[in-house]
Structures are given as C-alpha cells and as structure tokens.
Amino acid sequence: MNAAIPFSAQLINLFAAVILLLAFAMLAQRRVLALINLFALQGLTLCLATLVAAVTTGQVHLYYSAGLTLALKVLLLPWILYRLVKRLNVKGEVEALINIPTTMLVGLVLVMIAFNVALPISELSHTITRGTLGIALAVVMLAFLMMITRQKAITQVVGFLSMENGLFLAATSATYGMPMVVELGIALDVLVGVIILGVFFFQIRDQFDSLDIRHMERLKDN
Amino acid sequence: MDFFILMLAIPLVSGALLTVVGERAWAPNLNIIASLGTFAAAAGLTIEIVANGPRFAFGEQFFIDSLNVFFVALTAFVGLTTSIFSGPYMKNEREHGRLTAPRLRLYKGMYQLFMFTMLAALTTNNLGILWVAMEAATLTTVLLVSLYRTPASLEAAWKYFILCGVGIAQALFGTILLYFAAERVLGASGNALLWTHLIDVKGQLEPTIMALSFIFLLVGYGTKVGLAPLHNWLPDAHAEGPTPVSAVLSGLLLNVALYAILRCKVLADGAIPNAFAGNLMIGFGLFTLLVAAFFLSRQKDVKRMFAYSSIEHMGLITFAFGMGGPVANFAGLLHMTMHSLTKSAIFFAVGHATQKTGTQLMADIRGLIRINPLIGWGLMLGTLAILGMPPFGVFASEFMILTHAMKYHPWATPILLLGLGVAFAAIFGKVQPMVFGETEARRLPHAPAITPVFLHLGIVLTLGLYIPPYLTRWFHEASRMLG
Amino acid sequence: MISISGLLGQAFAILLALVLAPLLSGWVGQCRAWLQSRTAPPLLLPYYQLQKLFHKDVVLAHGASSLFRAAPFVVFGCMVLACAIIPSLSTDLPLAPAADALALVGVFGLARVFISLAAMDVGTSFGTLGGRREMLVGFLAEPALLMVIFTLAMTVQSTSVATIVETLAHRELVIYPSLAFAGIAFTFVSFAENARVPVDNPATHLELTMIHEAMILEYSGRHLALIEWAASLKLYAYSCLGLALFFPWGIAPGDNFLALVAAIPLLLFKLAIGGAFLAAIETINAKMRIFRAPEFLGTAFMLAVLGLLVRLLLESRV
C-alpha cells in the first residue's frame, strides 16, 4: 500500500486535493462574496501546501513563497476584492451562461483531460508530490472554465486569480518552487494587475452602469 | 557607461519622470528625447555586439546576442519614430477634446514603461523574467488601450486584459513545465531557467515534458502574437486605442511575443527529435493567415482592418519560422523587420487621416490625396508595401517564404497564395477609394509629423532593392542561431 | 463453515440493529430540538410511536391491491437484511460474504421500487407524486453511491464491504485525499436517501415539498409502523455503512462474541456523534426546492468521480 509515501507528501497531496475541491466549489458558487471567501480559502490551502513543501525540503525561498501567498492571496487580494464589491454594490447572484450542473460536468471532463495530460509527466518526476501537477493543471482549466461561463467582471477576475493559484501550486508542489526572482516578479505582476483592474471596474461601471460584461459585446466583426 | 544599462535605464527613468511631473509643454519633447536616447544606446549596443560577439549583463540574468540585438535595434528605432509621430498627434487629440492633460501624462509615462518592458523581455536570459516582462508589457498596454475611457475602449481593454491574461497564464504553465524539465538536468537552482544554460543541455531535456511545455508556451505567447483562434483581442485593442499605441502594438509587441516563442522553439527543437515544434508553428501560422485574410474583407474600420493585416503577417512569419532552416529563418526575420516598419508607417498615416476626417470608418474617409497629398501617398505606398508589391522589402521576404515553402512544403503553397490573394483584394479595394476620391477637407491645429511615415517606407524600399552586406551577415548569424 | 458463535453473533447484530435504529432516530430528533432551542421530545419517542401504531387497526384504501399490503413487509425485510450484512460490529459474520457493495445497493433499490409502487398503487395524487420524486432522487443518488463504492473498492481491490472495512481498518495511517471526496459524496447521498433536510423534511406534510411522507400517506396501523421502523433502520444502515467505511476503527475482526460486545460501546459512541452531526447539518441548512435536488445529487456524483480520479492520479502507482 501507500506506506512508501512520506507523511509530508501525503499532506501536500491532501492540500492539492482540497484546492481542486475548492476550485469546483467556486465553479458552483452563485454569490460573489462567497466566491471571494472561497478564493481566500484556496489561497490559504495553497499557502499551507507550500509551507509543508518548505519544511520538507528546507528550501528557504519556499518559506518566502508561502509568506507571499499568505500576504497576497489570502489577505490583500480578497480584501481588495471585498472592498470593490462593497463599493461597487455588486448585488445578487452571479449569472452563469450555462447552468451550473452542466458547468460541473464540463469541469469533470476537463479534470479528466488534465489528469490524462499530466500522467506521463508525473511518471517522470522525482519529486514525491508528482501527482499535484495534474491537479494544478486541472485547477487552471477549471478557473478558465469559470472565466468563460461567468458574466460579471469580478467573477472573471476571481477566475483569473484562481488560475494563478493553480500555477503556483504547480510551481511550488510539483517542482518545489521557481527561482525567487521569478516568483517575486509574478507576484508583483498579479498585484499590479488587480489594482489596475480595480480602477477599471469603476470606469466600466461609470460607462456601462453595470459590471455585467454582457453589455460589453459591441465590438464585433460585422 | 554601459550601453546596455543605459538602454534599459533611460525608458525606466524617463517613464517614472513623465508620470511624476505631469503634462508640461516640454513633456512631448522629453518623450522624444528619451526615445532618442534609448535608440542611441541600442545602436551603440548593436555595434558593440556586432563587433565583439554576445555578452552578458547583470550576472547571467541578461544576455545579448546577434538574434535579440536585432530586435532591440528595431524596437528602439520604431519606438523613436512613434514618439516623434505621437507628438503632434496627441496635441491634436487634446485640441479635439478627446484627451485631457492627466491622460496625456499617463500616455507618456506608460509609453516609456512599455518600451522598458519590451527591451527587458528581449534582452533577458531568464525565461521566468521573460514571462514577467511580457506580463508587465500587457499591463502597461492595457492602460494605453483604455486611454480614451470610452465604452468601446474600455471593452477593448477588458477583452485584451482577460484574453492575454489567460494566454500569459498558459505561458507561465509552460515555463513551469520547462523548469520542471530543466531541473532534472541542471538541478534545482536559479540557473535552470537561464536560456544560455538550457541551450547547452537541450538534448537532455525530457521530450514528453518539453512537448507539452512548448504547446503551452506557443498557445500562451501566441495569444499575444495574435495567432488564431486567440486573436480576438487584437483588432479591438488596435481600433480603440490611440493610433501611436496601435503602431507600437503591431510593430513591436507582436514581434516581442514572437521572439519569446522563437527562444522556446530552439529549446524544444533540441529536446524533441522530430520537427514537432516546427510543425505546430506551421499549422498555427497557416490557420492564422487564412482566418485573418477572410476577416479582412469584412472590416469597416480602417484600424481594425490593418490590425487583421498584422494578424495575417504574424501568421505568415510564424509559418516561416515553423519551416525552420537558414533560408526560412532569414526570410522570417526579414519579414518581421519589414512588417514592423511598414505597418507602423501605415498606422502613422492612418492616424493622421482619421484625425483629418474625424472618423475611422473607411466608407467615410475619401480623397485623402486632396486633403493632404503626403498622407494620401504615404497610406497608398504603405499599403502597396504591406501587400507585398515589388520593389518594397516585404516582397523580398514574402517571395523567399513562398519559394521555400514550394520547395519543402509544397502542399502549403496554395493555402499561402489563397490567403495572400484574399488579403490583397480586400485591402487594396478598400484603401484605393480612401486615397482617391472626393472630400471636404479640414485643417488640423498642429501640423502632422509626416517624416516617420516616409522614413519607414524609405527604409523598406531600400531594403527591398538592396540589403547591405553587414545586414545580411547579421541576419544570417541570427537565423543560424534559430537552427 | 458457519459456527454457532457466528450465528449467534449475526443474530445479535440484527437484534441490536432493530433495537438501536429507533433510538438513533430519537437521538437525532432530540439533538435537533436542542439545536433549535426547543423542548426536546423524549429519547424513546420512536418506540412509543411504534407501540402506538402496532396497536392501531389498519385502514386500507378501497383500491389497494395485495402489493400495497406486502410492500411494508418487503421494505422492512430489505432493511433488516441490509443491516445484517453491513459490518457494524464485526467484519466476519456469516452473512459477510453476501455483503457485496453492489448487492447492498441493490437491496436498497429493491425497497425503493416496492415502496414507490405501493405509493402509486392506491392511485392518489400524492402517492404518485411522492413515488415519482422518490424515483428521481434514487435515480440520481444510486450512481453517486456506486462511484463512492468504486473509489473504495479500487483502494482495496474488492467490492466486498467486509473486505473493504477490514483492509481500511488494519493499515497504516495514510492520508487518502480520495477518501475525503468519497466521504463528502457519501454524506450527500445519505441525506438524500434518508429523506433528511436539504432534500426532504421528515417532519412536515407540506404537499409541495414532501417526498417520503407523500408516499406513505395512505398507510396506517402496523403497516405504517413497519415502514417507520424500516425508515429508521435505513438511517441506521447508512450510518453504520458510513462509519464502517470512513471510520473503521474498533470493528471486531472475528466473530468472537466477547469482541462483539466490546465493539458495542464504540459503535454507540460513533453513532451518537454521527447523529448529532446529522442534526447539526439539518439545523443549519434550509430545505432546498425539489428542483435543486438533482443539482445537489449531481454534486455528490461529481465529488465521487473526482475522488475516483484523484485516487487514480495521486495514489495509483504505489
């Protein structure tokens, strides 16, 4: 049986599975605020997974990475999003383009595809948490699906950030972290991106009187 | 002082300065002077590299060889001419009340920062930093595209951000996979993402991982290149942003994204035994070419149409690099140069034309030759050049690509000819009445800068007739590096 | 060879199920009342109700066929059988070889078919409505339950519940993420199958929402008593199955009578916790519209499939 896998790897696998579960929960979620909470929870799980990886491998930069995740994905970004939702008065349910059960089924198919794609790679990896690569890919795809099927601008951004979570999971758990310079750069880009988007939201609302991106379908090839 | 550091420092510092000091009378001049400085530094760097060979900077984090120094020179040059063009253009926009002083400040600051991110992306040796710089370039241009703050421009910027954000996330996944493959050979150190290290061990990289990694990188950076079917952001961003931004997007950003793909392709080619990466690029390139050609004929907005033309040419270039080999790579590099110069010249001309007539709808633009003969002729000649009419340089590169395709991939030739033919008919049929025809003129408060248009077209014409030997050597050097 | 002690143990397990099942229902009711700040009904309320119902006369509808009269006995028999083969106390009882997970699902299915048919038999609109809704729920819950079982079966390479429980109980403590998924999915299915709050409310007779209660409206007297008893047995069976699959510690490996007796306190403890958990979930959730039930069960199915996939990816090659 699985006795050969050390406890830390089991923990990382568990956290990865929880992240996947949260990705699905986000896909099924109808309310914006709950969505943001789920996103923060996903960040927290990611942070814990990174922490376990850091303790296991003793690589210092993974600690920084975990700290960065905690500060950015668990505290700062959800806070910014929360403020935005309050300030912009985003109300009601998130309207999905496809009904939620169908979305879930499509998500399931995506997970299968992701796992299949990742399987040959996992076989090659020497890190003990190779399976997480497939989960990371699945999370990325689910976030992508969320961006496609949701109509509110804010949900798309949460989807985008969730995608980033999946990528970080791939970076930290499957390869035990990218070089520090790169991680810092990525974090900075994400932060700046969200701030720009925050400014954007106000302008979009001023121009369209709504954050519903269905209003933004004028530009077409006709 | 080191040319390289100077080249990166000038746009960074001036960008910050222009953002901080605000819109003053001398700000446009500072913008031009900074671009001139960047260009001078880039020229110095080019001479240095051509004379002394490749070099590193900042440890091993930055690396300049004959391939990227070629892009650096091109980027700095087009950056300079665009800044010259944007001076009177932006003043006119302000007189027309489309832009306010804070917006102009944002424009100039972001323009310089955009130049910085592109130059950083071109010169970095670290594939991770390359990703970061590309993402930063996206962020700066998002602000530039939404400059007018109209519903349409916001929509375009939003689409641009989301689509490129998703694309660039795919590229990050590809980069992670690449690191994953490299780590097995080079060990878990910061070196595992350095291109110069990777190129030494490219044969040992795991083919399965590299194949998957390249797919993600191609799709990711390909979104920014404008490869179909992920090209939707490109026409919107070009049409709704200010014209100088359209010029640098088409002329430079697409090139930089393509450069990122090329760097990754070299690694993938080394790791994967068959021409997997090349075939993938051939497929994407041809598909893009066809899609763009057929969309071209449906366009009503002049900037949208030329944006599709950019997509079409990017498809052609991707196809060329996909074929590989010294000749096709040479042709691809040449075509990138020609396209950059020609397309930005066209956008300069189009910018002035739309300012004069007050519309971007081609049906409402008539008789440019009567309003301003120079603009009219500029647009006409630019269009002829981009359509590949001899003796312009685009003809030479397209001819090389076509003959090479006939020789090695004969099945692709009809597709290429069909795409180019449809594009020719569509663009020429629409530009011709815009240039000739009846109209009512209006005067602009600031005289347009025509010099950049003819400077670009002059270079394209010259290169079409005669490519200087040192340039040929340099191109050969670069295309040899691409394998 | 079936030993005398084995037979005794089996009989004891069945007896215990018959006794404990109403108690569990009473306990859940009590916990709910506490959580909702009501005065709790006595713990033994279900017994009183059963006693009362057994003493009442049966009133049959005019159109009722023999199916209507047989159904309570069939349903009750199915549930007793289910309780007998689920390893609640020991994994090595004489009926354990029959405890194939697929057969177990089949036993539950049989009971469902009979009660739905009986509900439609009389021809009242409520009965038909309840029967149809029950079939809808069952139709969606069964695949999910099967997926949960497959996930577990892959872990131990067997669909025998007894083998699954035995293997899971006697291995090193390894975290299986797939089990977490399967566990949540199983909880969802249990709620739907036992007509608990998010899907159905056992306490109301509101025509728009009821499922289970609509089917048994026409029953009275000892028939109703049997059906009520069978319902509590079903809850007991699901609780024991869940506890055995996901918290398998403390179940006796052999048919030693003393070991069986020793396993009782732990079982009681686990059931008490489980019942309180059930009551808590019922309290914090509102009953969802019937149209949401497919979504709820779809989620359960999806979780179960995810568990299976995660199991394939993360835990396969070891």
Side-chain angles (χ1 to χ4, degrees):
Chain A
M1 291 307 300
N2 282 18
I5 297 187
F7 186 65
S8 60
Q10 293 173 29
L11 268 182
I12 294 180
N13 277 347
L14 179 68
F15 287 135
V18 171
I19 290 175
L20 181 64
L21 188 62
L22 285 170
F24 263 103
M26 286 163 89
L27 206 57
Q29 187 50 253
R30 286 193 169 85
R31 288 197 302 277
V32 178
L33 281 182
L35 194 65
I36 295 171
N37 289 339
L38 282 174
F39 167 70
L41 207 59
Q42 199 181 38
L44 187 66
T45 321
L46 179 63
C47 169
L48 288 176
T50 316
L51 213 56
V52 174
V55 173
T56 319
T57 57
Q59 291 191 34
V60 184
H61 74 100
L62 279 178
Y63 285 105
Y64 296 133
S65 180
L68 206 62
T69 312
L70 184 71
L72 208 60
K73 299 260 173 76
V74 186
L75 302 174
L76 191 55
L77 292 181
W79 181 76
I80 293 178
L81 287 171
Y82 199 83
R83 287 283 308 273
L84 277 175
V85 170
K86 288 280 167 213
R87 291 268 301 278
L88 291 167
N89 233 343
V90 181
K91 283 200 207 82
E93 296 196 332
V94 182
E95 304 255 315
L97 286 171
I98 314 172
N99 71 18
I100 292 207
T102 319
T103 320
M104 300 291 240
L105 281 182
V106 176
L108 212 53
V109 173
L110 284 182
V111 174
M112 284 185 209
I113 293 172
F115 280 16
N116 250 323
V117 167
L119 212 55
I121 296 178
S122 311
E123 305 274 328
L124 296 166
S125 169
H126 56 90
T127 48
I128 38 183
T129 50
R130 55 199 156 222
T132 46
L133 199 64
I135 291 191
L137 185 57
V139 172
V140 170
M141 284 184 157
L142 288 176
F144 190 41
L145 182 66
M146 188 167 123
M147 291 178 76
I148 295 173
T149 55
R150 294 308 169 79
Q151 294 189 332
K152 283 231 161 55
I154 260 189
T155 358
Q156 289 201 325
V157 173
V158 176
F160 178 69
L161 292 170
S162 170
M163 190 180 281
E164 215 80 52
N165 273 349
L167 293 171
F168 253 72
L169 178 68
T172 53
S173 302
T175 65
Y176 287 146
M178 305 269 276
M180 199 58 213
V181 203
V182 179
E183 269 182 36
L184 273 179
I186 294 170
L188 186 71
D189 274 346
V190 170
L191 183 63
V192 172
V194 169
I195 291 171
I196 290 179
L197 281 173
V199 179
F200 242 57
F201 284 152
F202 289 98
Q203 289 164 3
I204 289 175
R205 196 197 42 177
D206 288 348
Q207 294 288 349
F208 295 93
D209 290 323
S210 159
L211 272 181
D212 198 324
I213 52 161
R214 269 176 306 181
H215 298 293
M216 308 210 302
E217 282 177 356
R218 291 197 321 106
L219 295 181
K220 273 186 188 142
D221 300 302
N222 28 36
Chain B
M1 183 98 184
D2 192 334
F3 283 129
F4 171 72
I5 295 173
L6 214 56
M7 182 186 80
L8 284 187
I10 291 174
L12 187 62
V13 171
S14 59
L17 199 65
L18 282 165
T19 314
V20 173
V21 297
E23 178 63 12
R24 305 279 167 84
W26 43 266
N29 294 332
L30 176 62
N31 195 25
I32 296 172
I33 291 168
S35 304
L36 189 63
T38 314
F39 176 63
L45 185 70
T46 311
I47 293 166
E48 184 192 325
I49 297 298
V50 169
N52 303 342
R55 59 163 284 201
F56 288 103
F58 293 119
E60 291 187 315
Q61 295 299 323
F62 288 86
F63 173 69
I64 306 106
D65 60 12
S66 46
L67 175 62
N68 59 11
V69 83
F70 149 75
F71 286 106
V72 164
L74 185 63
T75 303
F77 177 70
V78 177
L80 169 65
T81 49
T82 307
S83 70
I84 296 173
F85 158 74
S86 71
Y89 182 86
M90 284 310 201
K91 277 185 197 154
N92 281 329
E93 289 292 277
R94 192 172 172 190
E95 301 277 339
H96 290 169
R98 297 187 69 187
L99 288 173
T100 55
R103 300 280 165 70
L104 286 175
R105 167 166 82 171
L106 181 72
Y107 166 75
K108 294 195 183 77
M110 283 304 137
Y111 182 80
Q112 289 297 331
L113 285 181
F114 174 55
M115 292 306 294
F116 166 74
T117 54
M118 278 197 301
L119 290 171
L122 286 172
T123 50
T124 184
N125 189 21
N126 188 324
L127 292 173
I129 296 181
L130 172 66
W131 184 89
V132 171
M134 288 298 294
E135 170 81 8
T138 311
L139 293 178
T140 51
T141 39
V142 162
L143 289 175
L144 287 173
V145 168
S146 67
L147 202 66
Y148 289 130
R149 301 284 197 269
T150 56
S153 72
L154 280 174
E155 182 187 335
W158 179 260
K159 222 187 222 180
Y160 175 41
F161 183 90
I162 289 297
L163 213 60
C164 281
V166 170
I168 207 97
Q170 310 297 318
L172 181 57
F173 196 77
T175 311
I176 291 171
L177 284 174
L178 187 62
Y179 179 70
F180 194 56
E183 189 206 17
R184 294 158 53 81
V185 183
L186 292 170
S189 67
N191 291 341
L193 271 179
L194 293 186
W195 192 81
T196 41
H197 288 245
L198 286 168
I199 196 82
D200 291 335
V201 296
K202 63 180 177 179
Q204 301 167 42
L205 298 174
E206 188 60 51
T208 335
I209 307 180
M210 284 307 290
L212 196 63
S213 162
F214 184 73
I215 292 175
F216 274 101
L217 286 166
L218 179 62
V219 171
Y221 289 131
T223 311
K224 280 204 88 104
V225 179
L227 295 184
L230 296 158
H231 63 281
N232 275 333
W233 65 271
L234 202 146
D236 295 345
H238 278 65
E240 302 306 330
T243 308
V245 176
S246 315
V248 281
L249 278 180
S250 252
L252 302 179
L253 184 70
L254 306 187
N255 276 359
V256 176
L258 197 55
Y259 161 82
I261 294 181
L262 289 182
R263 282 285 188 205
C264 301
K265 179 184 180 262
V266 177
L267 297 177
D269 274 342
I272 310 166
N274 51 24
F276 170 80
N279 289 337
L280 212 58
M281 287 176 74
I282 288 182
F284 263 105
L286 280 180
F287 182 60
T288 307
L289 176 71
L290 274 187
V291 168
F294 282 100
F295 269 106
L296 265 172
S297 54
R298 299 174 58 193
Q299 301 309 313
K300 297 191 174 71
D301 181 312
V302 59
K303 282 165 81 179
R304 263 187 105 79
M305 183 183 74
F306 281 112
Y308 270 106
S309 157
S310 293
I311 300 176
E312 176 215 338
H313 283 275
M314 283 299 138
L316 189 63
I317 297 167
T318 310
F319 172 78
F321 285 121
M323 288 193 291
V327 181
N329 285 338
F330 183 98
L333 289 174
L334 187 64
H335 198 78
M336 272 170 109
T337 322
M338 297 305 155
H339 174 256
S340 282
L341 293 169
T342 318
K343 192 50 69 60
S344 38
I346 290 178
F347 273 115
F348 300 157
V350 164
H352 288 312
T354 52
Q355 256 182 354
K356 285 247 180 210
T357 52
T359 177
Q360 288 183 193
L361 288 177
M362 285 185 278
D364 297 342
I365 305 175
R366 286 289 178 266
L368 283 176
I369 211 124
R370 283 162 193 263
I371 304 173
N372 186 333
L374 283 176
I375 293 176
W377 278 114
L379 183 61
M380 197 64 223
L381 290 177
T383 306
L384 288 175
I386 206 72
L387 291 173
M389 297 300 284
F392 288 101
V394 183
F395 171 75
S397 51
E398 274 185 5
F399 187 74
M400 277 166 75
I401 294 174
L402 265 175
T403 47
H404 196 263
M406 278 178 201
K407 201 165 167 190
Y408 296 99
H409 301 272
W411 56 270
T413 328
I415 306 176
L416 284 176
L417 286 174
L418 176 69
L420 292 175
V422 170
F424 186 96
I427 297 182
F428 194 76
K430 285 181 175 168
V431 172
Q432 199 263 348
M434 282 167 64
V435 175
F436 309 100
E438 296 301 320
T439 186
E440 297 152 22
R442 87 167 168 179
R443 281 200 62 80
L444 288 174
H446 300 275
I450 302 292
T451 333
V453 182
F454 287 95
L455 185 59
H456 281 201
L457 290 176
I459 297 174
V460 174
L461 183 62
T462 317
L463 288 179
L465 298 169
Y466 168 72
I467 303 179
Y470 62 89
L471 207 57
T472 321
R473 253 202 322 278
W474 182 20
F475 271 8
H476 273 305
E477 178 91 357
S479 44
R480 195 179 44 76
M481 292 193 54
L482 289 170
Chain C
M1 184 62 204
I2 298 169
S3 64
I4 299 293
S5 72
L7 280 178
L8 267 179
Q10 185 69 66
F12 180 70
I14 294 175
L15 213 63
L16 192 71
L18 288 174
V19 174
L20 278 185
L23 193 65
L24 179 63
S25 302
W27 167 245
V28 174
Q30 212 169 27
C31 284
R32 269 181 77 173
W34 284 333
L35 286 170
Q36 293 163 0
S37 309
R38 290 189 280 118
T39 315
L43 185 60
L44 301 179
L45 181 68
Y47 296 115
Y48 301 142
Q49 281 178 333
L50 287 179
Q51 194 199 14
K52 182 185 75 183
L53 289 171
F54 272 119
H55 282 100
K56 284 198 170 182
D57 281 335
V58 173
V59 180
L60 280 176
H62 286 301
S65 69
S66 53
L67 178 84
F68 185 78
R69 266 167 285 151
F73 298 96
V74 175
V75 172
F76 186 74
C78 285
M79 290 310 154
V80 172
L81 181 62
C83 286
I85 60 178
I86 287 170
S88 53
L89 289 174
S90 160
T91 53
D92 193 23
L93 291 175
L95 282 179
D100 189 88
L102 300 176
L104 191 63
V105 176
V107 169
F108 286 129
L110 186 67
R112 191 196 333 277
V113 168
F114 266 89
I115 200 165
S116 303
L117 283 178
M120 296 182 184
D121 185 62
V122 191
T124 62
S125 51
F126 275 140
T128 324
L129 180 126
R132 284 210 311 260
R133 287 180 178 171
E134 171 76 8
M135 289 319 275
L136 172 73
V137 169
F139 164 74
L140 293 162
E142 261 172 29
L145 185 58
L146 281 174
M147 291 315 281
V148 170
I149 287 166
F150 289 155
T151 309
L152 294 162
M154 276 180 69
T155 314
V156 299
Q157 313 284 325
S158 160
T159 55
S160 158
V161 178
T163 320
I164 293 175
V165 172
E166 203 165 67
T167 324
L168 289 180
H170 301 102
R171 45 114 213 243
E172 285 175 71
L173 185 60
V174 174
I175 302 174
Y176 288 100
S178 60
L179 283 193
F181 284 96
I184 301 172
F186 184 80
T187 315
F188 277 31
V189 172
S190 307
F191 279 148
E193 286 272 21
N194 288 294
R196 307 309 296 197
V197 148
V199 182
D200 191 5
N201 191 345
T204 66
H205 287 95
L206 206 65
E207 64 219 47
L208 282 176
T209 60
M210 60 185 173
I211 301 173
H212 183 73
E213 293 299 320
M215 289 194 295
I216 60 172
L217 269 182
E218 293 296 321
Y219 277 111
S220 56
R222 62 175 189 280
H223 290 160
L224 184 59
L226 278 177
I227 286 179
E228 294 287 0
W229 204 349
S232 57
L233 276 172
K234 192 176 183 182
L235 180 64
Y236 176 83
Y238 265 93
S239 310
C240 283
L241 185 61
L243 292 173
L245 291 178
F246 301 104
F247 306 95
W249 304 284
I251 292 180
D255 54 1
N256 186 334
F257 198 74
L258 278 179
L260 287 192
V261 175
I264 293 177
L266 194 61
L267 178 70
L268 285 177
F269 176 71
K270 288 198 283 189
L271 280 176
I273 300 282
F277 171 71
L278 175 61
I281 298 284
E282 282 201 300
T283 307
I284 58 173
N285 276 305
K287 184 185 168 323
M288 60 174 95
R289 287 181 302 157
I290 187 85
F291 308 108
R292 281 283 167 85
E295 202 171 299
F296 178 77
L297 287 166
T299 312
F301 177 73
M302 191 205 70
L303 282 170
V305 175
L306 268 186
L308 199 66
L309 290 174
V310 166
R311 141 105 217 126
L312 277 173
L313 183 79
L314 291 184
E315 301 149 25
S316 55
R317 245 172 351 98
V318 195

